[in-house]
Amino acid sequence: MMTMNELDEVISKCLLQKLSKNVEQSENHVEYKLREDMLASQFNTILKYINDESESEIAPDMLSQLLILDLELQSIGPWFCELSKECSEKLNNLFENLYTFKLSTVLQHLDVDDAQLVFDICFEDLHTKLTLEDFKKYPALHDVYCSIVQHIPEYNVVINPMKIMPICLLLIDDYIVNNKLKGLKSCLIILKCLTAQNFQGGNYYEVIYGSLNKITLDKEIDVTKLTLECLLQLMKILPPEIKVKKLDDIFKRGLDQINTEANLYRKAAWFNFTTNLIEMQGVNCVDQKILKSILCDNIDMCCNEAVGEILLSDVLECLETWIKYCWCIWRFSSDQKILSTLLKLLYVSSGDEQKASKIRIVIITLVCLCTKEEQRIIYKNIEDATQQINKPEFVSSLEIIKNSVCI
């Protein structure tokens, strides 16, 4: 009969061994073939042990080893082979026959205490190998980590961010885009499972914030979108005593990014992010008066049809949200440029009634924030304009705006 130590040794042999050099430094590593040979000679021993011990309960540390092995066998990369797929299928079929569930879903089926033990041991083992120095030498374990994290909401476990997030932060900090995306997706899943209580007694949120903040400069649009999603989720769960300052910091960072960003898709993502921050901060955003100037400049850019197709929806949504919370600082005397730019946008958009309707609503809202005297001035200007402009759709829009003005 095989001992637990002997089984542990066999499982270790069937795992992809540490690469002698980083995964991206070669297309074919000798360890890939060595693992395939090891599966051919050793894997059936694992199946025999599990079958022989079917009447006994498998220890949590052994379950964690088997789970890591199974998920690694399923991981896709140049190390993957048909034999690894076959081994995973055999392992899961055996488990399903013996225990009514597949090994890959073990964390969803164990009772609370055992699930927590297996969960914790898995992450301890993964973090032992996926260190700053060596995580590029265990490429298959990246997918193992992401696979376990992917289903965290389904586990009945307590999450300690300090114990499960270091690997996703390593992936986020990597220069390989695919690794960044894996890390960000895992980070987002974990953050959605956390609350402010998870950061009590420590400031690990600063480590997370630092990693996310650093890659806001990354130019890949998918990286940008996921990073901003993670930042928003982090803002939601920060301890109340530091949330206001962090929100203010990232809000200013967002405005700087919008101001300097040349890529329209990234600019749109940052506008969407800013809209969400305004929803979170509410009236506290009135201090950032530069936002009015930024909105005005980008509305003007959207008068170009090609730019507007990408940017307009997010810019208008941001303006609408700003009005919702910060209307109190709207002044016709100092902010009428926004109004005139919106009218310019309305003029070039008159052929698209859906777009024109949305723009009209924003214009009417801003006009209604003006004093009675200012509204009379606007009314008179619109009345004069409708007599001189030879564009029926635009004139019709102006009439709708004029009829909404209280004089």
Side-chain angles (χ1 to χ4, degrees), residues 263-354:
N263 183 295
L264 295 178
Y265 293 99
R266 274 176 47 82
K267 190 187 283 277
W270 276 102
F271 263 114
N272 180 268
F273 178 71
T274 301
T275 300
N276 281 286
L277 287 183
I278 294 171
E279 285 281 4
M280 291 174 70
Q281 293 196 89
V283 73
N284 291 331
C285 296
V286 297
D287 291 339
Q288 297 301 323
K289 295 178 182 177
I290 190 175
L291 178 55
K292 289 188 289 184
S293 174
I294 290 171
L295 285 165
C296 187
D297 291 344
N298 283 272
I299 291 167
D300 194 38
M301 286 176 59
C302 289
C303 291
N304 178 296
E305 186 177 357
V307 174
E309 285 296 320
I310 299 169
L311 205 56
L312 181 58
S313 177
D314 291 291
V315 174
L316 285 182
E317 187 177 1
C318 187
L319 176 56
E320 288 168 340
T321 307
W322 179 86
I323 294 169
K324 177 181 175 182
Y325 293 102
C326 304
W327 59 268
C328 56
I329 63 168
W330 162 260
R331 295 291 181 271
F332 179 67
S333 56
S334 57
D335 303 324
Q336 58 183 281
K337 187 179 178 184
I338 296 179
L339 206 50
S340 63
T341 308
L342 282 166
L343 286 165
K344 175 184 173 184
L345 179 64
L346 182 61
Y347 180 85
V348 300
S349 306
S350 294
D352 185 336
E353 179 52 30
Q354 186 176 5

Side-chain angles (χ1 to χ4, degrees), residues 239-250:
E241 61 274 14
I242 61 98
K243 178 181 275 191
V244 173
K245 185 179 184 307
K246 278 286 183 281
L247 278 170
D248 193 47
D249 288 346
I250 198 64

Side-chain angles (χ1 to χ4, degrees), residues 105-341:
T105 64
V106 65
L107 285 168
Q108 289 97 319
H109 289 90
L110 292 175
D111 63 39
V112 176
D113 291 339
D114 285 342
Q116 187 73 58
L117 269 173
V118 173
F119 181 81
D120 290 342
I121 294 169
C122 279
F123 281 101
E124 285 172 13
D125 289 348
L126 289 171
H127 279 100
T128 299
K129 293 180 177 178
L130 296 176
T131 62
L132 178 61
E133 294 78 20
D134 289 336
F135 88 101
K136 293 289 203 69
K137 294 175 181 176
Y138 291 100
L141 291 185
H142 299 174
D143 288 347
V144 172
Y145 173 82
C146 294
S147 295
I148 296 174
V149 168
Q150 182 182 356
H151 297 286
I152 279 181
E154 302 167 26
Y155 311 148
N156 194 2
V157 295
V158 176
I159 299 171
N160 182 338
M162 291 180 66
K163 291 184 177 181
I164 68 171
M165 293 197 75
I167 292 171
C168 78
L169 298 183
L170 281 177
L171 291 167
I172 287 170
D173 287 341
D174 193 32
Y175 70 91
I176 297 174
V177 172
N178 195 42
N179 281 345
K180 285 182 188 291
L181 293 173
K182 286 180 180 179
L184 287 166
K185 288 173 184 175
S186 296
C187 181
L188 185 59
I189 291 168
I190 295 168
L191 289 175
K192 285 181 176 180
C193 296
L194 301 179
T195 67
Q197 291 183 328
N198 292 105
F199 297 117
Q200 283 184 345
N203 64 344
Y204 194 68
Y205 55 81
E206 291 286 3
V207 178
I208 303 168
Y209 180 77
S211 289
L212 294 173
N213 201 25
K214 187 166 73 173
I215 63 163
T216 54
L217 298 176
D218 193 284
K219 297 302 180 184
E220 286 287 333
I221 183 60
D222 290 337
V223 171
T224 297
K225 287 180 177 179
L226 271 172
T227 301
L228 297 181
E229 274 193 79
C230 288
L231 278 168
L232 277 175
Q233 191 59 40
L234 179 61
M235 294 299 114
K236 292 176 184 177
I237 60 174
L238 286 176
E241 61 274 14
I242 61 98
K243 178 181 275 191
V244 173
K245 185 179 184 307
K246 278 286 183 281
L247 278 170
D248 193 47
D249 288 346
I250 198 64
F251 192 74
K252 291 175 183 175
R253 177 69 178 272
L255 296 182
D256 288 342
Q257 284 293 113
I258 291 172
N259 244 346
T260 58
E261 183 55 61
N263 183 295
L264 295 178
Y265 293 99
R266 274 176 47 82
K267 190 187 283 277
W270 276 102
F271 263 114
N272 180 268
F273 178 71
T274 301
T275 300
N276 281 286
L277 287 183
I278 294 171
E279 285 281 4
M280 291 174 70
Q281 293 196 89
V283 73
N284 291 331
C285 296
V286 297
D287 291 339
Q288 297 301 323
K289 295 178 182 177
I290 190 175
L291 178 55
K292 289 188 289 184
S293 174
I294 290 171
L295 285 165
C296 187
D297 291 344
N298 283 272
I299 291 167
D300 194 38
M301 286 176 59
C302 289
C303 291
N304 178 296
E305 186 177 357
V307 174
E309 285 296 320
I310 299 169
L311 205 56
L312 181 58
S313 177
D314 291 291
V315 174
L316 285 182
E317 187 177 1
C318 187
L319 176 56
E320 288 168 340
T321 307
W322 179 86
I323 294 169
K324 177 181 175 182
Y325 293 102
C326 304
W327 59 268
C328 56
I329 63 168
W330 162 260
R331 295 291 181 271
F332 179 67
S333 56
S334 57
D335 303 324
Q336 58 183 281
K337 187 179 178 184
I338 296 179
L339 206 50
S340 63
T341 308

Side-chain angles (χ1 to χ4, degrees), residues 57-112:
E57 189 173 293
I58 301 178
D61 56 344
M62 189 52 60
L63 269 178
S64 69
Q65 288 281 69
L66 289 169
L67 177 59
I68 289 172
L69 172 62
D70 179 46
L71 294 176
E72 190 192 89
L73 290 171
Q74 295 179 45
S75 67
I76 303 299
W79 54 85
F80 181 79
C81 62
E82 280 301 312
L83 180 58
S84 62
K85 179 182 176 182
E86 291 172 17
C87 289
S88 175
E89 288 174 352
K90 288 179 181 178
L91 190 55
N92 278 285
N93 289 338
L94 178 60
F95 252 76
E96 197 164 21
N97 290 334
L98 295 176
Y99 304 107
T100 71
F101 58 83
K102 293 185 177 182
L103 174 59
S104 56
T105 64
V106 65
L107 285 168
Q108 289 97 319
H109 289 90
L110 292 175
D111 63 39
V112 176

